[in-house]
Amino acid sequence: MSGNIKKGLWMALYSAGCGLMLSIFPFIKSGVNLIFSLLALVIAIFYFKRSSSLRSRIVFVVFALLFFVFFTFVMAVVLYSRSQSLPGAA
């Protein structure tokens, strides 16, 4: 059972890294944003080398997309809260 937990944690780590790199991509306006997309591609390639089963690859892609949406939402909230003044407490 510990082997499955270890594989799951590695998958979560790789997919979180890939989702984070993909979520940084739209927030940077210069050519540097291409580095983040390439890093996401490299992370995916390393995970696909590590894992050979189709099921784990599909789960990786699904979790990477979920992390992408989560990190994009968090970054949008942080950027919005920095640019807007927060209302005073009632």
Side-chain angles (χ1 to χ4, degrees):
M1 187 63 173
S2 65
N4 289 337
I5 293 172
K6 185 177 177 182
K7 284 172 58 175
L9 289 175
W10 276 114
M11 187 274 307
L13 182 68
Y14 277 108
S15 61
C18 189
L20 181 64
M21 294 301 124
L22 288 176
S23 64
I24 292 173
F25 177 79
F27 288 103
I28 297 178
K29 302 295 184 218
S30 66
V32 178
N33 62 359
L34 295 175
I35 293 173
F36 292 106
S37 64
L38 289 175
L39 281 174
L41 182 66
V42 168
I43 291 170
I45 288 172
F46 277 132
Y47 181 74
F48 281 8
K49 281 183 182 179
R50 184 180 182 95
S51 171
S52 61
S53 70
L54 181 65
R55 178 179 169 225
S56 63
R57 290 179 178 186
I58 291 172
V59 171
F60 167 77
V61 170
V62 168
F63 274 108
L65 290 174
L66 288 175
F67 277 118
F68 165 70
V69 171
F70 174 73
F71 287 134
T72 302
F73 177 74
V74 168
M75 285 184 200
V77 167
V78 168
L79 290 175
Y80 179 76
S81 66
R82 283 186 174 181
S83 67
Q84 300 293 323
S85 61
L86 297 175

